[in-house]
Amino acid sequence: IEPVGSQIPVTITVSNGDLRYAQYPVIAGHFLNDGVLYAEKTIDKYLGGSLAAKHRLGLYPGEVGTNAIFGKMNKSDFEGSIIIIGLGEPDQLTSFQLSKSIEQGILNYLLIIRGKDVSKKSIGVSALIIATGYGGLSVEGSLKAIIDTVNRANDKIKLLGDDSYRTVQYIEIVERYANRALNCMYLLNKIASKENSTYNIIIGNKRIINLLGIQKRTPMD
């Protein structure tokens, strides 16, 4: 299914560093039958074991379309919420399924924050590059799925016809490794220059935003 251009422009930036310093709620993916690994393991540490507890209780997302939202712990220095989305089986994931899972996670988040004191805050999501390892998607495919998803979630929220529901104004792509962050910025500029009638994005910062926790080189594995 080809994405249809949204009427609501979204500003997108790339940040290089530790996801602890992300500006917005962080979207991360989880494959069916996986443990709490990689980025999720880092997030779990920041949230005092909340992810591992939900996983051990059998309440963790795994199937495509499932999600769980975790709020900030009082004693944590990690500021944001986390949106964990189910990715199904690694060898069966498509960009359409990825979009479906991210969209449902974002819509759930937007429903949760309705009526909360966020009126003066910019509404955004911070996303890791999801499913490009053994999920099998290209970085460009993952970026397009994230953008397309935000567009569709915004359009669906607008159809409710109620201004108390907020839409996503910003996407922050967070990447720990410098070379991968540079590749993300290159691909986003390519999308903005060649396919913006479809994706309707604004590159919010012409340079990569440096956070703490940058790693210069991608490990071989």
Side-chain angles (χ1 to χ4, degrees):
I1 298 173
E2 285 296 312
V4 177
S6 173
Q7 300 302 307
I8 306 167
V10 175
T11 300
I12 188 163
T13 57
V14 177
S15 293
N16 181 198
D18 193 312
L19 56 80
R20 175 190 296 211
Y21 306 104
Q23 294 186 65
Y24 308 109
V26 176
I27 300 171
H30 181 82
F31 285 106
L32 193 63
N33 301 320
D34 257 1
V36 176
L37 306 169
Y38 312 118
E40 290 168 89
K41 190 172 183 179
T42 302
I43 293 164
D44 188 50
K45 182 175 71 176
Y46 296 157
L47 294 184
S50 296
L51 277 67
K54 203 172 190 79
H55 189 273
R56 284 199 300 271
L57 292 169
L59 303 172
Y60 209 76
E63 298 282 0
V64 170
T66 59
N67 58 78
I69 298 173
F70 298 83
K72 178 183 183 299
M73 295 286 290
N74 290 335
K75 295 181 180 178
S76 171
D77 59 355
F78 178 71
E79 287 298 326
S81 302
I82 295 292
I83 305 167
I84 301 291
I85 60 163
L87 300 177
E89 298 283 355
D91 56 350
Q92 296 175 20
L93 184 69
T94 65
S95 58
F96 174 77
Q97 289 175 319
L98 176 60
S99 291
K100 177 183 175 183
S101 249
I102 300 174
E103 180 186 327
Q104 295 197 8
I106 290 174
L107 287 173
N108 263 338
Y109 172 70
L110 293 174
L111 291 174
I112 285 170
I113 65 170
R114 181 197 186 194
K116 293 192 177 179
D117 188 21
V118 293
S119 57
K120 295 181 181 178
K121 294 181 182 178
S122 299
I123 304 300
V125 291
S126 297
L128 308 178
I129 298 302
I130 301 168
T132 57
Y134 70 119
L137 297 182
S138 68
V139 174
E140 185 171 2
S142 181
L143 287 170
K144 285 180 175 179
I146 292 165
I147 298 164
D148 180 42
T149 295
V150 169
N151 285 339
R152 286 193 285 114
N154 280 345
D155 289 342
K156 285 185 177 181
I157 287 289
K158 279 295 184 187
L159 287 174
L160 294 176
D162 184 338
D163 289 342
S164 66
Y165 291 102
R166 304 293 299 277
T167 56
V168 176
Q169 302 159 275
Y170 296 93
I171 302 171
E172 176 193 31
I173 302 299
V174 183
E175 176 52 66
R176 170 167 244 174
Y177 297 100
N179 58 329
R180 290 181 182 175
L182 190 63
N183 186 40
C184 287
M185 181 61 92
Y186 166 76
L187 290 169
L188 288 170
N189 277 292
K190 178 182 163 189
I191 292 166
S193 64
K194 295 187 176 179
E195 300 177 78
N196 223 25
S197 59
T198 297
Y199 292 101
N200 199 9
I201 57 172
I202 300 163
I203 306 297
N205 194 320
K206 298 302 179 187
R207 295 187 178 187
I208 294 166
I209 300 164
N210 290 330
L211 308 176
L212 294 175
I214 293 172
Q215 294 195 15
K216 292 295 184 185
R217 195 177 297 272
T218 307
M220 289 302 291
D221 61 353

